[in-house]
Amino acid sequence: MKIIHIGLGKSYSSTFKNIFYPYLCDKYSYLFNPEEFLKIMRENYIYSNEDKILLSEKLNNNNVLIASESLVNWVPSNWVKAADRNVDLFGSDANIIINLRDTHQYLTSLYLQMIHEGNIISPNVFFCTPELYKKYKPFLSEESLQRFDSSSLDYEFLVSIYKKRFKNVYVVNHDKVLTLYPWNVLFNMDNDDKEKILFLIRKAPRYNKSYSRISIKLTFILEKIFSFIGFKSRGSQDIEFQTQSFIKIKKLNVNYISNFDIISKNLLRKIFKNWRWWMQNFVNKVLTYKKYKLPNNVYIDNKILDKNRLFLEKINQKIIDN
């Protein structure tokens, strides 16, 4: 059997990856994220026919569980393209699992993840209207998350894309993830299995905990200091690694400029890598933790909030019926 957990991200993904999936695969003799898949993932899903054949052989000769947030694609405008790729890789008989969560919670987590990865941008700039996003789009790479149009986050449309391509699609609301649906159905779990798994999940350490309010404030203070001296943080969304220096000093030796640039890049990369550790493992734990909330004036499409809320209510009812 082929089970493919495609996302969305920020829905117990770290806990599942570190605790749930290893237990599940060991208990029920499944392969988890085989190397044939990881190779394709590392190449950003650019793969040869040989790569696909090797993956197909692995999938056809074993019980396999594959899970990656990148499978669904973080950018909604790429959902259809990603779904076509997934059916090409895994076949229409694969069991697809999609995790969804409250739209506002998801958008908040998405923004915080961008901050975690060094993309220091104001939420008022990150979230933009559909009209403004269209203007930005020609200047953004296809996979770019430097801007986000919340009106495109249509859960019902996402699910419809996969139901048109795959025979079995299971949709889970993040709030109901501890019901263990659809895993209990796919693996025919008994009550003892479910209780043990729930115990492991509840006792698991918190992985990749989001920045608190004060962590966000401190991060933006650091970025202002960088900006003042002519630097910026290097984030995951940067097209190429570079730290720009705007210090205008005449008649500097060319070799000196080159060495200075290299040193500044390495230094800032190390500072920000350690910064995330300090925010998540010291500030979040030692100081009173208060969840970060998006400012009230950030543009979030209210129509999509309502539409997704109603869709999640329907999903909840289906989970209860199961």
Side-chain angles (χ1 to χ4, degrees):
M1 186 159 61
K2 297 176 285 187
I3 302 175
I4 317 296
H5 192 183
I6 66 171
L8 297 173
K10 315 311 299 175
S11 301
Y12 277 99
S13 50
S14 296
T15 299
F16 271 42
K17 178 182 177 181
N18 290 283
I19 303 295
F20 180 55
Y21 296 144
Y23 173 83
L24 205 61
C25 291
D26 181 63
K27 171 75 176 179
Y28 295 98
S29 300
Y30 270 66
L31 297 179
F32 177 56
N33 282 359
E35 178 57 33
E36 291 79 0
F37 165 70
L38 293 178
K39 178 180 183 294
I40 293 173
M41 186 178 72
R42 285 193 295 264
E43 297 296 328
N44 294 320
Y45 300 102
I46 298 173
Y47 54 90
S48 65
N49 191 54
E50 182 182 359
D51 291 331
K52 190 171 75 169
I53 290 172
L54 290 173
L55 177 60
S56 296
E57 289 177 350
K58 183 69 69 172
L59 294 173
N60 293 333
N61 295 319
N62 299 275
N63 289 322
V64 179
L65 167 60
I66 289 176
S68 175
E69 299 171 348
S70 61
L71 282 169
V72 71
N73 201 287
W74 293 93
V75 182
S77 59
N78 294 335
W79 282 349
V80 172
K81 179 181 177 181
D84 288 338
R85 179 201 65 215
N86 290 338
V87 76
D88 183 52
L89 283 173
F90 307 123
S92 61
D93 59 334
N95 295 278
I96 300 296
I97 299 177
I98 305 174
N99 269 37
L100 304 174
R101 66 185 298 187
D102 173 84
T103 310
H104 206 281
Q105 290 179 7
Y106 174 78
L107 292 173
T108 302
S109 293
L110 177 64
Y111 172 70
L112 288 173
Q113 186 62 30
M114 291 300 100
I115 299 295
H116 289 178
E117 295 175 3
N119 308 293
I120 313 305
I121 182 173
S122 164
N124 299 88
V125 176
F126 180 71
F127 295 106
C128 54
T129 64
E131 295 76 20
L132 191 56
Y133 185 78
K134 287 179 182 178
K135 293 180 180 179
Y136 280 125
K137 190 66 174 173
F139 304 98
L140 301 174
S141 65
E142 187 178 17
E143 302 293 326
S144 175
L145 269 177
Q146 293 176 333
R147 301 291 185 274
F148 196 87
D149 170 20
S150 61
S151 65
S152 64
L153 192 70
D154 188 330
Y155 290 165
E156 188 171 13
F157 175 63
L158 172 62
V159 173
S160 71
I161 292 171
Y162 280 86
K163 285 190 173 181
K164 289 177 182 177
R165 291 164 174 78
F166 293 90
K167 297 176 182 178
N168 299 306
V169 178
Y170 300 89
V171 186
V172 186
N173 184 349
H174 174 79
D175 292 341
K176 300 294 182 182
V177 71
L178 293 183
T179 64
L180 295 183
Y181 174 85
W183 308 99
N184 58 336
V185 176
L186 291 169
F187 290 93
N188 193 27
M189 294 179 184
D190 58 30
N191 288 332
D192 287 341
D193 277 342
K194 289 192 284 187
E195 287 300 320
K196 185 169 184 178
I197 290 170
L198 288 174
F199 175 81
L200 291 173
I201 293 174
R202 289 179 178 134
K203 295 296 183 181
R206 290 290 302 275
Y207 296 96
N208 194 26
K209 191 172 183 178
S210 296
Y211 281 10
S212 65
R213 293 184 194 177
I214 191 168
S215 294
I216 290 293
K217 288 182 180 179
L218 291 172
T219 300
F220 273 91
I221 289 173
L222 177 67
E223 189 67 13
K224 286 181 179 179
I225 294 172
F226 282 173
S227 179
F228 180 77
I229 60 176
F231 297 141
K232 71 175 290 292
S233 300
R234 185 263 182 178
S236 62
Q237 292 298 305
D238 291 327
I239 296 175
E240 62 183 35
F241 181 74
Q242 60 178 359
T243 303
Q244 297 182 5
S245 174
F246 298 101
I247 301 175
K248 297 180 180 180
I249 303 177
K250 296 181 180 180
K251 298 181 180 179
L252 284 179
N253 181 277
V254 175
N255 291 328
Y256 175 76
I257 295 175
S258 178
N259 291 336
F260 175 78
D261 197 39
I262 293 171
I263 292 171
S264 66
K265 288 176 183 178
N266 293 334
L267 177 61
L268 291 180
R269 177 168 53 181
K270 182 175 289 188
I271 288 174
F272 207 88
K273 182 179 179 181
N274 291 335
W275 181 265
R276 179 174 177 178
W277 186 93
W278 280 103
M279 293 300 100
Q280 292 184 312
N281 295 283
F282 182 78
V283 174
N284 278 2
K285 294 180 179 179
V286 174
L287 303 181
T288 301
Y289 184 88
K290 292 183 179 180
K291 284 187 176 182
Y292 172 80
K293 296 181 180 180
L294 292 174
N296 293 329
N297 62 346
V298 168
Y299 176 79
I300 304 294
D301 190 314
N302 288 323
K303 290 183 179 179
I304 207 67
L305 288 177
D306 291 336
K307 183 179 181 181
N308 286 347
R309 177 180 54 80
L310 292 173
F311 184 70
L312 287 176
E313 288 176 1
K314 293 179 182 178
I315 296 302
N316 284 347
Q317 187 57 51
K318 289 183 180 179
I319 293 174
I320 292 172
D321 293 340
N322 281 280

